[in-house]
Amino acid sequence: MKKKIIITIITILVLALITFGIYKFIINFKKDKELTQEKANEIVNEYNKFNNSVLAFVKERDNIYTLRENTYLEEFSKNTDGWNKLMNTHKQNLENIEKSSKHLKENCTITFADPNVNSKCTIFKSTYEAAHNYYISDIKSYNKTVDEYNEWAENNGKNKLNKIKLTIYKDYIDYDKDGEYFGKEEINNG
């Protein structure tokens, strides 16, 4: 009789432990699923902010290239302050991309079950890389033009343009680690 009671108590304890373990597993699984969904929703929301900052960058970049294509070297002297402000705005647009990418950098490190979220992360990585690399190319190209203009300005008694310093990244990046530097443009300095 005593043996039956001990076996019954042990059986009840084992069943209770198994039931408790299953219960904890289900609760933790639900919490993990909720956290994952929360991160996925955050990625979608933050991607829209990132995308808007990239669109502002691209619009300003197109404007800069259109202005540069239609400006002779001597014409820079007519609006040196405007060019300096324009290039500082370009830098601020890149800084806005950096700010709006913070949460995406943190959360796009894992693969999600939702292909839409994974797609946004993939596009974020290549777009982030391209924006930085295009910016570096833009600055190198612009600074080459500044050197040419400043030499002309010094010989002709005109105001000089400011060179732009690279801030966030000083060299090209391969953010998505695919072995390519998307957006990198070679600028010859001679």
Side-chain angles (χ1 to χ4, degrees):
M1 177 82 166
K2 210 175 194 187
K3 202 173 187 181
K4 275 187 169 185
I5 293 175
I6 292 175
I7 291 176
T8 304
I9 291 174
I10 291 175
T11 305
I12 291 172
L13 285 175
V14 168
L15 288 174
L17 286 173
I18 290 173
T19 303
F20 180 74
I22 292 171
Y23 170 77
K24 285 300 276 181
F25 175 78
I26 291 171
I27 295 298
N28 288 337
F29 181 77
K30 284 182 180 180
K31 282 182 184 177
D32 185 50
K33 187 175 179 182
E34 288 170 5
L35 283 172
T36 302
Q37 187 59 46
E38 189 177 300
K39 283 192 182 287
N41 291 339
E42 187 176 314
I43 286 170
V44 170
N45 292 333
E46 293 298 322
Y47 178 81
N48 292 332
K49 293 175 189 174
F50 170 77
N51 193 43
N52 289 336
S53 64
V54 169
L55 291 175
F57 173 81
V58 169
K59 184 178 178 183
E60 189 66 29
R61 184 174 192 261
D62 288 344
N63 181 42
I64 290 168
Y65 274 87
T66 299
L67 289 171
R68 283 185 65 199
E69 287 172 3
N70 296 315
T71 303
Y72 291 106
L73 194 63
E74 298 81 17
E75 292 175 338
F76 281 101
S77 67
K78 294 178 184 174
N79 193 8
T80 53
D81 287 340
W83 279 100
N84 290 332
K85 287 179 185 174
L86 184 67
M87 294 309 291
N88 282 328
T89 299
H90 195 42
K91 178 178 132 184
Q92 289 170 350
N93 284 334
L94 184 71
E95 289 170 353
N96 290 339
I97 288 173
E98 188 65 28
K99 288 176 191 171
S100 67
S101 67
K102 181 182 177 199
H103 293 291
L104 293 171
K105 287 180 184 178
E106 292 170 2
N107 294 318
C108 282
T109 56
I110 59 172
T111 303
F112 291 84
D114 185 347
N116 181 42
V117 174
N118 290 330
S119 174
K120 289 195 183 315
C121 284
T122 300
I123 293 169
F124 155 71
K125 289 174 184 176
S126 64
T127 304
Y128 178 80
E129 176 180 312
H132 278 277
N133 290 343
Y134 279 134
Y135 177 76
I136 290 170
S137 295
D138 295 347
I139 298 307
K140 286 182 177 184
S141 173
Y142 179 75
N143 283 343
K144 183 178 178 199
T145 301
V146 167
D147 286 339
E148 293 169 5
Y149 167 77
N150 284 345
E151 183 180 323
W152 177 87
E154 191 171 307
N155 293 332
N156 292 286
K158 301 290 182 181
N159 291 332
K160 291 185 177 182
L161 289 170
N162 296 330
K163 279 186 152 184
I164 305 297
K165 293 181 181 173
L166 294 171
T167 54
I168 297 169
Y169 288 102
K170 298 182 191 293
D171 205 3
Y172 296 101
I173 62 171
D174 181 15
Y175 187 76
D176 59 4
K177 307 285 187 239
D178 66 353
E180 295 180 23
Y181 294 82
F182 185 48
K184 180 179 180 181
E185 297 173 1
E186 289 299 324
I187 307 300
N188 294 329
N189 289 324

